[in-house]
Structure formats: structure tokens, C-alpha cells
Amino acid sequence: MAFRLPTAHLRRVATSATATGAVRPVASSLFQSNRAARSSRWLATPAYPVTQDSVGSKGPTAMVFLNMGGPSTVDEVGDFLSRLFADGDLIPLGRLQGYMGPFIAARRTPKIKEQYAAIGGGSPIRKWSEHQCEEMCKILDEVSPETAPHKPYVAFRYANPLTEEMYTKLLADGFGNGKGGRAVAFTQYPQYSCSTTGSSLNELWKWRQRLEGKTGPADDGSDGSISWSVIDRWPTHPGLVEAFAKNIEEKLAEYPEERRKNVVLLFSAHSLPMSVVNRGDPYPAEVAATVHAVMERLKFSNMWRLCWQSQVGPQPWLGPQTSTSVEEYISKGQKDLILIPIAFTSDHIETLYELDKEVIGESGHPETIKRVESLNGNPIFINALVDIAKTHLESGIACSSQMGLRCPGCKSERCLESKKFFAGQQPLPILS
């Protein structure tokens, strides 16, 4: 079953986007509700089919969730890793990308297959992404009837359903191909990085050019192609912050009261190569902004640190590493630790294997080192997605103004052209 707040309650929630794409605080009743219950893991109910069959109306609206993805079965691991290591936006290997990428993927495949087998035979990220998007669309149909019906789609960067598959389905459902229609690319990375959201948008732009042509869309929509807008970041949205804070409070309550205030909170996010960080990627700052907003909501009740996980390869990555941080704190006598996956919106191998089985399972102290629940089907989080989407649909903006600013060290022409395309329907300056 789906957890949903009453429609009348949702309609009382109002936010508005600023010129920079930021969101002003919403009515606290939505995101501070204590009605949230821990969600069980269930398969998403398929959404009813929606077809774009009219030109000029505000609906239907395609809501496209963008994410890295993960192999749903062990047999998909090899292809997943091949695509991942071929992406220079995520793992920059320079001129050796075409040689080193396949080599590293082939070397790592047997080990990674074992890890996916250990968490049930595949990643649950597709299940959760489809569930989150479908539940969001159902509520959007009620609270934003002027843009309804809302059609859920998922586009993964490295696993099925790939961006190409999603775009082909959009066209088959009647969007584009002379009929126009509106689509929103909604990143499921709350904090923007050129290696994650940027890479997904580059891929979306590539398939748009291949499947709908390199011209257009015309300003008046006369070419009949899909009109795209982007929700490119939301690191401090009140609903996201509240969902994390509630999960932390629930986990803190598992410690004896006399030890609770001394528990150290370790926020863990996927790391980045330092070559990407030094290029000027905004991700570290936006992750830090999320952490600070969560701690502010918790009234700074506990000590905390931000650390980074999932380093791959010999090149320098952003640190300190999560696993090393846990080991060092244990060596200092600090054994009450809570891990918070602050940059992930659902469970996948980084939470279920890397944090649960490696970091916690091999710590020697699984009874005192804990991890908060992932957001998954959390009703506070689902309603945050609704609020972000509704605000965006009402705003009329194509993307945040931040998206128009390239990293200081960016030399990618593909990045430049992608930004120009997605920002092209509003007067945002794109610095070349």
C-alpha cells in the first residue's frame, strides 16, 4: 500500500521558487508530520498508461526521474560496469578511457557480482525509483490538475531502463513526433554534480538530438518536439531535510538515553575524483549544505562529520573515506556511530553492501554502529518530491540559474551544448 497524506492537506502546502531556483520554506505541517511510518520493501504498482494526444494543452506531463541506476539481476552487472567505466564525466580516465574503462570493468565484474548476490541478487534502485515516481505522479494528478495527467518515467545512466529506452517510450506514448508535449527531467541526485546529474543530462540531450533531430524546439512549439525543463538540484528542500532528520531521530532513539547525546553522526556521500573537485564541481558544497540543514533541523543535538565513500581506482578522491573514518573513531574509543547516506534517495549497493556489510559488518561493533533507513518509500520524502515538482511546474522556468554556470575548469563542449539546450527556453546566460 502507498502512504499518502490527504489531498486537502497537500493543497494547503505552498512554496514558490526564487529566481535562483531555491525554494522558500513550506508549511511545516507537511514535512514535520509525525504520521510517517517506516516503509516496507514492496514492488511498485504499475501506473495507468497515459498518452499525449493533444497539442497546446498543459497536460499530459511526462515526469522523468534521472539516476545512476543499478543492475536488477546479477547477469546485468557486466554491462552496468562497462557503461559506468566508459563515462568520462563520472570516472575521467582521459585518453585511456576507451582502453582502461573496459579493462577495469572486466576485472571488477566477478567481485561486484558476488556483492549483488549478497544483497538479494540485484539492486532495488529500479523498484524504488519506479515506486517513488509513480506515487509522486498520483498525488500530482490531485494537487496539480492543470498539468495532469502526469506520466512516470525512469531513465538510468548505466542500467535498464537506459535513457535511450525511456526516450523511445516517450515517443511511443505520443510525446513529440509532431504532437509536442511537456517533459520534466527530475534528477534524483539532490546535490548537483557534473559527474551525476550533469552526465545524465548530457545523455538525455544526446538522445534528444538523435531521436528528435538537432533543430528546435521552436520557440512557439511549432516543430512538435518535446518541450523539456529540468529540476537540476534540491539539496536543502525542507521535505528532504525533514525526511533525513526523522530517520536520524528514530535511529538515535535506539541508544540508551544516557549515551544518546554522545553518538557521533557520520554523514556519508559518494565521493568524487579530486580532478573533478578541483575543476570546480559544486557537489561537495551542496552536500555540505544538506548536512548543515539537517543538523540545523536537529538543533545540532549531536557531534557530526561528513565523509565520503565508494572510491574506485588509484587516483586521488575526495576524503576522508567513510570506512577509514569509522576505523579511526573506533580506535579513539568512539564506538557509538550512526551512518547517514546523505546523497542517496533509496537503497542500493552503496547502502546495502558497502555500508551495511563492509563498514558496519566488519567494524567489530555492529551493535553500536548503526545506519539510518534510506528514504525509499518514506511518505515525507514522497511528498517532498510532489512539492518540488509542483513548484517547478508552476514556476515556468526551464532550470535553475545555477545550471547555466559552468565549472571554472570545464572544457567540455558537450556540457556547454547540453546546458544551452536545456536553458534555451528562458533567458539564462550560459558562460562559455
Side-chain angles (χ1 to χ4, degrees):
M1 62 177 290
F3 293 96
R4 292 170 61 179
L5 295 177
T7 301
H9 179 75
L10 283 168
R11 288 188 176 126
R12 290 196 296 269
V13 178
T15 62
S16 58
T18 68
T20 61
V23 180
R24 292 198 288 266
V26 300
S28 60
S29 57
L30 175 61
F31 301 118
Q32 296 180 3
S33 169
N34 59 5
R35 301 181 190 181
R38 187 180 309 281
S39 56
S40 59
R41 297 174 182 176
W42 65 85
L43 290 172
T45 303
Y48 293 108
V50 177
T51 300
Q52 165 70 22
D53 57 5
S54 62
V55 177
S57 64
K58 291 186 178 180
T61 304
M63 303 299 298
V64 182
F65 273 20
L66 305 179
N67 211 329
M68 177 183 294
S72 297
T73 67
V74 171
D75 290 340
E76 297 175 26
V77 169
D79 289 340
F80 168 75
L81 292 178
S82 294
R83 297 185 191 105
L84 188 147
F85 284 102
D87 183 9
D89 290 328
L90 179 67
I91 302 176
L93 299 173
R95 290 178 295 177
L96 296 177
Q97 194 89 39
Y99 169 75
M100 290 298 297
F103 176 76
I104 297 172
R107 288 285 301 271
R108 290 181 60 83
T109 293
K111 178 182 178 181
I112 302 303
K113 279 187 172 182
E114 293 177 1
Q115 294 179 0
Y116 277 105
I119 63 170
S123 172
I125 191 171
R126 178 172 184 171
K127 175 188 72 175
W128 283 120
S129 296
E130 290 176 344
H131 169 78
Q132 291 164 345
C133 193
E134 288 170 4
E135 289 301 299
M136 179 194 72
C137 285
K138 290 175 187 177
I139 303 175
L140 276 175
D141 284 349
E142 299 176 4
V143 302
S144 183
E146 62 276 11
T147 53
H150 302 84
K151 172 70 173 176
Y153 295 86
V154 171
F156 285 155
R157 184 65 180 86
Y158 313 113
N160 297 322
L162 294 166
T163 306
E164 176 187 10
E165 177 185 340
M166 177 281 301
Y167 215 114
T168 301
K169 191 171 189 305
L170 267 180
L171 298 175
D173 285 348
F175 291 87
N177 285 331
K179 292 185 177 181
R182 179 179 187 180
V184 178
F186 191 167
T187 181
Q188 292 305 292
Y189 307 100
Q191 305 91 2
Y192 185 94
S193 171
C194 298
S195 63
T196 53
T197 298
S199 178
S200 289
L201 291 174
N202 289 343
E203 187 75 358
L204 179 60
W205 171 75
K206 179 184 80 175
W207 285 106
R208 189 270 170 197
Q209 300 299 85
R210 290 185 181 182
L211 297 176
E212 289 205 86
K214 295 185 178 180
T215 60
D219 292 339
D220 60 359
S222 58
D223 69 337
S225 63
I226 298 171
S227 177
W228 284 96
S229 63
V230 180
I231 301 172
D232 51 86
R233 69 198 75 209
W234 35 286
T236 58
H237 185 275
L240 177 71
V241 171
E242 184 65 20
F244 277 126
K246 286 285 189 182
N247 283 353
I248 293 170
E249 289 173 335
E250 289 180 7
K251 193 58 64 175
L252 279 169
E254 296 179 10
Y255 291 85
E257 186 174 358
E258 64 274 12
R259 288 162 45 194
R260 197 170 300 157
K261 65 182 178 60
N262 293 320
V263 175
V264 171
L265 306 181
L266 286 183
F267 294 90
S268 184
H270 201 295
S271 187
L272 282 181
M274 285 307 297
S275 60
V276 176
V277 175
N278 292 335
R279 193 172 62 209
D281 196 282
Y283 175 74
E286 294 197 8
V287 173
T290 306
V291 171
H292 187 271
V294 171
M295 289 308 305
E296 192 171 44
R297 156 60 179 79
L298 293 172
K299 299 181 180 178
F300 302 97
S301 61
N302 292 73
M303 298 174 288
W304 82 96
R305 281 293 184 273
L306 171 58
C307 45
W308 308 87
Q309 65 180 91
S310 309
Q311 175 178 327
V312 178
Q315 61 181 314
W317 283 60
L318 182 62
Q321 292 187 46
T322 303
S323 56
T324 304
S325 298
V326 170
E327 293 170 0
E328 294 290 350
Y329 276 122
I330 290 174
S331 71
K332 292 176 170 61
Q334 178 64 48
K335 299 173 183 177
D336 287 343
L337 302 167
I338 292 180
L339 301 179
I340 304 110
I342 196 65
F344 306 124
T345 57
S346 69
D347 274 320
H348 41 74
I349 197 167
E350 283 85 353
T351 59
L352 298 175
Y353 190 89
E354 187 176 353
L355 293 183
D356 290 355
K357 295 185 178 295
E358 289 186 330
V359 176
I360 296 176
E362 298 174 9
S363 69
H365 301 278
E367 70 286 352
T368 63
I369 301 175
K370 306 174 186 288
R371 175 177 71 85
V372 301
E373 287 294 310
S374 297
L375 298 178
N376 294 334
N378 185 314
I380 299 175
F381 177 64
I382 298 295
N383 282 290
L385 295 175
V386 173
D387 184 70
I388 295 165
K390 184 174 185 293
T391 300
H392 176 79
L393 290 168
E394 292 174 345
S395 71
I397 66 171
C399 58
S400 74
S401 59
Q402 269 291 83
M403 189 175 157
L405 182 64
R406 300 175 73 197
C407 295
C410 179
K411 301 293 190 297
S412 170
E413 289 300 315
R414 182 175 59 167
C415 174
L416 174 61
E417 294 304 316
S418 172
K419 285 178 178 290
K420 282 182 178 178
F421 171 77
F422 287 112
Q425 293 177 299
Q426 68 183 48
L428 280 180
I430 305 295
L431 299 184
S432 58

